[in-house]
Amino acid sequence: MTLNALERERQRRERRTLAALLTPGLLWLILFFALPLVIILVYSFMTNGPRGNIVWQFTLGNYVDLFTRSIYFNAYLRSIWISVLTTVICLVLGYPLALFIVRQPPRWRTVLLFLVLIPFWTNFLVRIYAWQIILANNGLINSALRSLGLPPLTLLNTEGATLLGLVYGELPFMVLPIYAALDRFDFTLMEAAADLGASKRRAFWRVMLPMTMPGVAAGSVLVFIPTIGQFVVSELLGGAKVDYLGNLIQRLFLRSNPPNWPLGSAMAMAMMLVLLALILIYFRTTTEEDR
Amino acid sequence: MSTTNAVELRNVVKRFGDIAAVDHVSLEIRDGEFFSLLGPSGCGKTTTLRMIAGFEYPSSGSIVIHGREMATIPPHRRPVNTVFQSYALFPHLTVAQNVAFGLEMQRRPKDEIAARVREALEQVRLSGFADRRPRQLSGGQQQRVALARALINQPEVLLLDEPLGALDQKLRKELQIELKSLQRRVGITFVFVTHDQEEALTMSDRIAVMSQGKVLQIGSPTEIYERPTCRFVADFIGETNFIAGKVIENGANAATIETPDGLRLRGLTPRPVRVGEPAVLSIRPEKALLLAPGDARAGHAFAIPARVELVSYIGSDTRITVRLNDQRTFDVWEQNTLSTLDRDAYWQPGEPAVLVCPPDNALVLTE
């Protein structure tokens, strides 16, 4: 009896401590994450008023607009496409780089990782402005071309510039998780594969890549998520010539006259759906590895 | 076939920076034999094995497998397979997929692979484990998967890098016997790296003893144990007593040394020695005899006066440590062939005795 009571008392105290520890974080998340999300979700089913006010009338029109009006749907597809492209390029550039760094002697590894991280010391916007200076019509590259007597190139305000800026900005987020995966990889397995008749290429596809897949998946998610919602790079380096999801959402909320918050909300929700699907795939691959 | 060599190493050198890990090694490993590379850690045995596998290339010298020069052949095109010390099983593949890996690389048809994998797993008694992952197996089972994964490719030579090193003593003994009988059955040349001299003696047809990158002696287990050609080999293989001195006389295959306190002792010379050279007399503890002072048998061989210091009964043997005149100790092992509980009649610490050794059980060795 008394033992049971003591045990109950102990459990009650444990629960109280747990509640005290969790409450601040939970409140913060509810207030600043869950609540705005619910608001956006609700808005996405509402009607836009003539002066950009919210009319509290349920409609699926925003979602219909999103999938039927080409300006919105194209932006949607374009965002997915450039995010896929950015992710693939980061992967193709980042994997060999991470592999190279892992194979260096420990002292050099630290130095090289440090170099990968150095860009983070400067604000992202500042770095993108720096790219403007490099790519502009009378920028660094074109001045160099001109001094060599070569014709100038149009570099800034192109989709190529957008892609360049995105890859530049996201590459470290691909390199680091792959590096971590390769650091745990036992390279004796590559010798074992060679010993069993696998060329370097086949050993990579059959052994090294599958075993470092969690790193590849983590890096891809880290690159894909910010890229699909971005609007800064396409505006500053792409010259806002084509619309991506992020640009449209930003415009619908802030710039258009009148603003259209319900449609902007619907677009934000559609974007989250893509990310949700992606993250589900990510958890699939990583949990399979852990089995 | 029986006269060809499976593997030949000719003057192989491997340098890492300024250090020669393997220093002018020449070996001929015969077809179908169980050959061991034995030595302490850092002696170059693993580097030698890795050069045969192709993971390292010699700085100079050549490696020939069944008559083919291997200098430019990468590991995945060599007719050898390796069982790694850490097993190096692929953790993301099942046992069956691990074993199938080599055949898959040869692009064999699917049903042939399936049949041969089944057979290989049967051979190492792991039939029920085909769909497990390596980490779900015990160390001994993982070791057998590694063996099956290598043997399924029917290599001309199987290389084994301390494959029993991570296992406990009892399992080791079992697998030693299993591995040896497997080798007899499949008839493949085994090159086995170990630092465990007992393991090498148990399993090998021939052993190469290595130290500091050099091969010191190659021979059958009996030759290596009974006729070591230098002090290091005598010391590394089994237990032995050394009495230091200087060579004062040498014959065709025997020599006499004189110790600093004037004893003259005679022994066989597996390798010629020069008069005046410092040398040791090496006597295995089980080959010496301890007699009571005045025993008639002492007259036939050299006899050194000694005093019993320690008597330890260990079941099969009794190990007696005696102290010689010049304070050196010397171990003698006597087999307990007679079942006697009457230990009082046996050697007692402090008792005087005479140490006797027939000259053909003593060896005169130099460094």
Side-chain angles (χ1 to χ4, degrees):
Chain A
M1 274 302 272
T2 44
L3 252 177
N4 263 345
L6 275 175
E7 173 66 12
R8 236 172 300 142
E9 171 60 20
R10 196 185 59 77
Q11 281 182 358
R12 194 162 42 232
R13 228 178 276 166
E14 227 167 61
R15 262 199 303 273
R16 220 177 301 146
T17 317
L18 200 66
L21 284 173
L22 284 180
T23 308
L26 220 56
L27 273 180
W28 179 276
L29 279 177
I30 290 171
L31 217 59
F32 299 114
F33 178 73
L35 206 60
L37 204 64
V38 170
I39 293 174
I40 295 286
L41 183 67
V42 170
Y43 276 6
S44 72
F45 290 108
M46 292 301 136
T47 312
N48 200 37
R51 281 167 285 109
N53 54 324
I54 312 282
V55 176
W56 298 96
Q57 193 178 357
F58 180 84
T59 175
L60 287 173
N62 300 312
Y63 288 95
V64 173
D65 276 0
L66 174 62
F67 287 103
T68 53
R69 290 178 58 185
S70 61
I71 171 172
Y72 301 124
F73 193 62
N74 284 350
Y76 191 66
L77 290 184
R78 201 178 290 124
S79 275
I80 294 175
W81 169 239
I82 200 162
S83 299
V84 168
L85 213 58
T86 304
T87 307
V88 169
I89 294 174
C90 281
L91 180 58
V92 169
L93 295 177
Y95 200 108
L97 182 61
L99 180 57
F100 174 78
I101 296 175
V102 160
R103 297 305 275 168
Q104 301 310 305
R107 197 160 44 98
W108 280 109
R109 258 190 270 173
T110 320
V111 173
L112 291 169
L113 274 182
F114 184 70
L115 288 177
V116 169
L117 291 174
I118 269 190
F120 293 132
W121 291 14
T122 313
N123 179 280
F124 182 67
L125 268 183
V126 174
R127 285 184 281 138
I128 292 304
Y129 279 121
W131 273 108
Q132 281 192 341
I133 297 169
I134 297 170
L135 301 175
N137 283 343
N138 44 15
L140 273 179
I141 292 176
N142 278 322
S143 309
L145 286 177
R146 218 167 285 132
S147 69
L148 291 170
L150 296 166
L153 299 168
T154 309
L155 300 170
L156 195 59
N157 301 336
T158 60
E159 283 205 72
T162 306
L163 190 61
L164 177 85
L166 288 173
V167 169
Y168 160 78
E170 302 300 334
L171 189 58
F173 296 105
M174 184 64 90
V175 172
L176 294 178
I178 295 179
Y179 173 85
L182 281 169
D183 196 36
R184 284 192 305 268
F185 179 70
D186 175 10
F187 280 87
T188 317
L189 296 178
M190 291 303 272
E191 285 184 354
D195 189 72
L196 294 166
S199 62
K200 286 218 165 99
R201 199 163 44 86
R202 296 182 81 190
F204 171 78
W205 287 109
R206 281 289 273 139
V207 179
M208 195 196 283
L209 187 61
M211 289 207 61
T212 50
M213 215 51 203
V216 170
S220 300
V221 165
L222 286 181
V223 170
F224 193 91
I225 289 177
T227 307
I228 199 162
Q230 71 78 29
F231 56 91
V232 170
V233 177
S234 50
E235 196 155 304
L236 294 183
L237 296 183
K241 280 186 178 162
V242 287
D243 281 329
Y244 293 95
L245 261 184
N247 302 97
L248 273 182
I249 294 172
Q250 187 215 15
R251 200 183 313 145
L252 287 168
F253 270 88
L254 301 175
R255 291 198 192 163
S256 37
N257 193 18
N260 191 344
W261 286 28
L263 183 57
S265 300
M267 295 194 71
M269 293 314 296
M271 189 173 91
M272 284 190 58
L273 229 59
V274 178
L275 295 180
L276 204 66
L278 185 82
I279 286 170
L280 283 179
I281 295 171
Y282 166 71
F283 278 127
R284 250 304 152 71
T285 55
T286 46
T287 45
E288 238 166 72
E289 255 335 287
D290 291 339
R291 234 195 308 156
Chain B
M1 272 301 268
S2 59
T3 53
T4 60
N5 287 322
V7 183
E8 279 178 40
L9 271 64
R10 297 178 190 139
N11 264 315
V12 170
V13 177
K14 178 66 185 181
R15 279 188 205 88
F16 294 110
D18 292 338
I19 301 150
V22 174
D23 192 0
H24 294 92
V25 163
S26 294
L27 286 177
E28 292 181 355
I29 300 170
R30 292 170 201 145
D31 211 10
E33 88 178 322
F34 197 121
F35 191 92
S36 289
L37 294 167
L38 172 65
S41 59
C43 72
K45 56 191 191 299
T46 293
T47 306
T48 305
L49 195 80
R50 289 174 59 79
M51 284 192 285
I52 301 174
F55 304 138
E56 311 276 358
Y57 288 89
S59 308
S60 68
S62 82
I63 294 173
V64 176
I65 298 176
H66 279 129
R68 270 171 301 152
E69 168 64 50
M70 288 288 134
T72 58
I73 313 242
H76 68 278
R77 295 219 200 89
R78 295 196 183 195
V80 302
N81 284 113
T82 306
V83 175
F84 293 83
Q85 184 170 17
S86 60
Y87 315 138
L89 298 176
F90 303 121
H92 62 303
L93 302 179
T94 64
V95 166
Q97 287 169 328
N98 264 282
V99 176
F101 196 93
L103 296 180
E104 225 175 86
M105 291 302 123
Q106 294 172 33
R107 300 180 201 279
R108 292 303 174 119
K110 278 223 158 53
D111 31 328
E112 183 198 328
I113 295 181
R116 279 173 69 180
V117 166
R118 214 173 309 122
E119 196 183 312
L121 286 178
E122 249 163 56
Q123 200 168 33
V124 295
R125 294 179 288 112
L126 282 174
S127 295
F129 296 83
D131 295 323
R132 301 270 188 101
R133 303 265 161 161
R135 91 187 65 157
Q136 296 168 310
L137 304 183
S138 71
Q141 289 168 333
Q142 289 185 27
Q143 204 274 338
R144 300 214 298 271
V145 175
L147 202 60
R149 183 178 72 171
L151 282 174
I152 198 170
N153 307 297
Q154 298 167 344
E156 290 174 22
V157 181
L158 186 72
L159 308 172
L160 303 103
D161 186 9
E162 307 223 16
L164 309 178
L167 305 174
D168 62 64
Q169 197 58 35
K170 193 169 180 305
L171 197 56
R172 260 180 108 116
K173 295 260 187 271
E174 276 173 40
L175 282 167
Q176 281 174 12
I177 297 160
E178 200 174 315
L179 208 54
K180 178 69 193 163
S181 69
L182 183 73
Q183 191 264 340
R184 284 231 185 82
R185 208 159 64 230
V186 295
I188 292 172
T189 310
F190 277 31
V191 183
F192 188 89
V193 159
T194 181
H195 67 270
D196 182 331
Q197 41 108 359
E198 203 183 314
E199 194 165 280
L201 292 176
T202 311
M203 303 172 76
S204 318
D205 295 318
R206 287 194 308 149
I207 300 169
V209 183
M210 292 184 72
S211 170
Q212 295 178 352
K214 290 190 166 71
V215 170
L216 298 180
Q217 187 174 358
I218 302 173
S220 68
T222 335
E223 283 167 347
I224 298 277
Y225 186 81
E226 303 283 344
R227 291 289 179 269
T229 54
C230 67
R231 185 187 168 142
F232 179 89
V233 175
D235 198 17
F236 190 71
I237 311 287
E239 303 274 333
T240 195
N241 296 289
F242 287 129
I243 300 174
K246 193 172 275 190
V247 179
I248 54 164
E249 172 273 336
N250 64 357
N253 50 19
T256 307
I257 67 162
E258 190 177 56
T259 65
D261 56 334
L263 278 174
R264 292 182 171 207
L265 306 168
R266 195 170 168 75
L268 300 178
T269 50
R271 198 172 61 182
V273 295
R274 289 189 312 275
V275 173
E277 207 176 1
V280 290
L281 195 75
S282 166
I283 301 165
R284 301 279 185 203
E286 77 280 11
K287 297 196 193 300
L289 201 61
L290 210 54
L291 299 176
D295 193 305
R297 287 175 291 171
H300 300 293
F302 73 71
I304 310 169
R307 189 168 290 277
V308 176
E309 182 141 317
L310 197 68
V311 180
S312 352
Y313 172 79
I314 63 152
S316 59
D317 294 336
T318 300
R319 302 190 165 178
I320 309 147
T321 303
V322 299
R323 202 167 275 282
L324 309 183
N325 274 347
D326 64 345
Q327 298 309 307
R328 278 179 308 232
T329 59
F330 193 105
D331 289 336
V332 179
W333 298 349
E334 288 189 352
Q335 226 187 336
N336 297 327
T337 43
L338 301 175
S339 168
T340 170
L341 290 172
D342 185 16
R343 304 297 296 172
D344 290 345
Y346 206 64
W347 295 106
Q348 296 298 325
E351 244 184 298
V354 177
L355 188 66
V356 173
C357 182
D360 54 349
N361 278 347
L363 302 174
V364 175
L365 302 173
T366 52
E367 286 300 325

